Structure formats: structure tokens, C-alpha cells
Amino acid sequence: MAKQREKRLTPSNLTYSKDWKFVWWATAGCGSRSIERFLVQIGVSDLRDDEAPIQNGSSWSHRQGIPEGCEDFPVICNSRNPYTRLLSSWKDILVEQEENISDGAVKGHSKMSFESYLAKKERFYPPEELHYEKEWAQIGVKPSYKLRMEHLVEDIYNVEPFMKAEKDKIERYINAYIMNNVHANENRYDEYIKSPNGVLVQDCKPHYTQELADMVYEEFKLVFDFFGYEKDSWLL
């Protein structure tokens, strides 16, 4: 089994800590910036991307795989409800169009509708980041721990490697970077509502129909099932 997994290693640009013994799959658009700041502040000083130390606020990898020497480490994976993740990425596209920086976009052109965006095969994220869950079969590993954007506080406390940190540091930096969402309203199109557990999430109802929601559910069913998102969660 070890030999088989070794063949499936992604060769570079993976994020991990050998001192704290974990691999981090920092899924794009799922709260990875907040988690990176949290990890650095609680003392994960060897957080690395392709052997380069990561400093607070710098870039890190969204790629998935198992780095050499980390085959026995648990995998920690960020996630987000697919309904809000796709909605948020469409709003990013709208801003790109307005700023005349997206491929083929010209100022003055009509905005892409959300329905048109969902119908596209190529979206804001590269395919391997959009459908990160499809990489798992090739890698031969599924996440050991979940960091759901909507339940980050609860999930952080369930990640055993994080609990090596001092308790007061965990509490302090949860308050600083997780409870206080410094990235909210970065996009002028953001529309937030409070979820049942008090977390701000994108308001899906103005943009989804049952037909669009069903399409997203079928496309991302593995994410819904693995991370425990409800099929009707777009109706919050």
C-alpha cells in the first residue's frame, strides 16, 4: 500500500508541517487565508509550500497530494458549501469584468448572469481547484480532518494536531482570525446573512432557483456528502 501511494504523490507546491505532523489541503475560496494566519500565530513555524517557509500573509498552495516523508500524517482539508462557494466566485468574476482584467472581458459589456456562469465548464477556479474532491481517488487519500468554512471554530477544536498549541493562543487567534472575518465584504457584491450557528454566509436565495440548486448539488454531491452539507442549505 505504501508503495502504491508513493506513485501518487504530487511532486511540488504542497502545504504541510513536519514539526506538527500534518498535511494541509488549503482549498481555494474556503477560508484558507484565515486558517493560514491562525496556524502561524499559534506557533506552526515550519508551515511550508514546496520547501519554502510560509510567513504570515504570504501565498501558499491550494494543491492536494501527500509530500514525501508525510505519508503517515493526517490530512486537514478546508471546505465550503458549494452553493456559496460558486456564488462567491461568480461575484469575483463580476468584479474582474468591471475592472477589465478577466480574459476577454471588456468594460461596458453586460454582466454574466449567475445561471450562465453555472452552465460554464470553466469557472473562476482551475478545474483541479474547483473540483478538488475529484483528486482524492488519484491521490489515494481522503481528508482526515475537515475545516468547514461555516463551522471553523468547532472544526479547529476537532483537529488533533492543532491542539498541541497553548490553549490561550488557540482561543486568542480564533477570536482574531476566525470569529472576526476580516475578509467579509471584500467584494462589493457580497450579500451576507447569518446561518443558524451565527456565522455570516452568502445569501443564496436571491440568486438560486430549485433547478440551479439541483444542478450544483448533483455536480458536487461528493462534497455535500463528505462534509455534511444539506441539499436544501441554499434556502437559509
Side-chain angles (χ1 to χ4, degrees):
M1 179 63 180
K3 205 172 206 180
Q4 185 181 20
R5 281 182 58 179
E6 191 172 339
K7 290 180 182 177
R8 293 173 172 175
L9 299 181
T10 305
S12 63
N13 299 113
L14 299 172
T15 310
Y16 61 95
S17 167
K18 287 194 173 180
D19 288 348
W20 290 60
K21 298 188 183 333
F22 67 79
V23 175
W24 179 32
W25 292 350
T27 313
C30 299
S32 58
R33 288 181 294 175
S34 297
I35 291 296
E36 182 267 339
R37 287 170 174 81
F38 170 77
L39 292 176
V40 170
Q41 293 299 326
I42 66 171
V44 184
S45 59
D46 73 325
L47 194 64
R48 290 179 174 269
D49 169 1
D50 195 23
E51 298 301 326
I54 294 175
Q55 302 299 321
N56 192 28
S58 70
S59 180
W60 59 96
S61 171
H62 296 305
R63 293 188 69 182
Q64 297 185 136
I66 307 298
E68 188 173 355
C70 302
E71 291 83 1
D72 296 324
F73 290 0
V75 172
I76 303 162
C77 183
N78 283 65
S79 74
R80 182 178 184 177
N81 188 310
Y83 295 134
T84 61
R85 187 174 183 236
L86 286 172
L87 181 58
S88 181
S89 65
W90 168 66
K91 292 177 179 182
D92 289 337
I93 288 287
L94 294 185
V95 171
E96 282 194 349
Q97 285 184 327
E98 288 182 355
E99 294 176 350
N100 197 23
I101 60 173
S102 63
D103 291 342
V106 179
K107 278 188 176 177
H109 277 208
S110 59
K111 296 174 184 175
M112 180 190 302
S113 71
F114 186 50
E115 183 176 0
S116 296
Y117 178 66
L118 291 183
K120 289 170 65 69
K121 290 184 178 179
E122 294 184 8
R123 303 192 186 117
F124 184 75
Y125 301 109
E128 70 277 7
E129 292 182 9
L130 176 67
H131 280 290
Y132 59 98
E133 76 283 1
K134 292 185 178 180
E135 303 280 293
W136 300 349
Q138 182 180 356
I139 297 167
V141 178
K142 288 184 179 180
S144 313
Y145 296 103
K146 308 167 186 177
L147 288 176
R148 297 165 297 174
M149 192 170 174
E150 305 80 6
H151 303 276
L152 280 179
V153 175
E154 171 191 344
D155 289 349
I156 282 171
Y157 280 108
N158 287 329
V159 178
E160 189 174 346
F162 294 176
M163 295 302 103
K164 296 178 185 177
E166 298 171 15
K167 184 178 178 182
D168 67 321
K169 281 190 175 182
I170 293 174
E171 293 176 352
R172 184 186 319 146
Y173 294 113
I174 280 179
N175 287 330
Y177 298 119
I178 309 302
M179 299 294 290
N180 177 31
N181 183 0
V182 298
H183 304 295
N185 294 308
E186 284 183 334
N187 187 315
R188 58 183 166 276
Y189 291 107
D190 285 343
E191 305 164 280
Y192 290 102
I193 57 172
K194 277 194 175 182
S195 67
N197 65 342
V199 175
L200 289 177
V201 296
Q202 292 277 355
D203 188 2
C204 290
K205 283 192 289 187
H207 304 284
Y208 277 95
T209 62
Q210 186 65 61
E211 183 180 1
L212 293 179
D214 288 346
M215 183 171 69
V216 169
Y217 179 78
E218 291 303 319
E219 182 178 350
F220 292 88
K221 192 172 186 307
L222 178 56
V223 174
F224 280 94
D225 291 346
F226 185 84
F227 291 100
Y229 294 117
E230 297 291 335
K231 182 177 182 180
D232 292 333
S233 53
W234 67 279
L235 290 169
L236 276 180

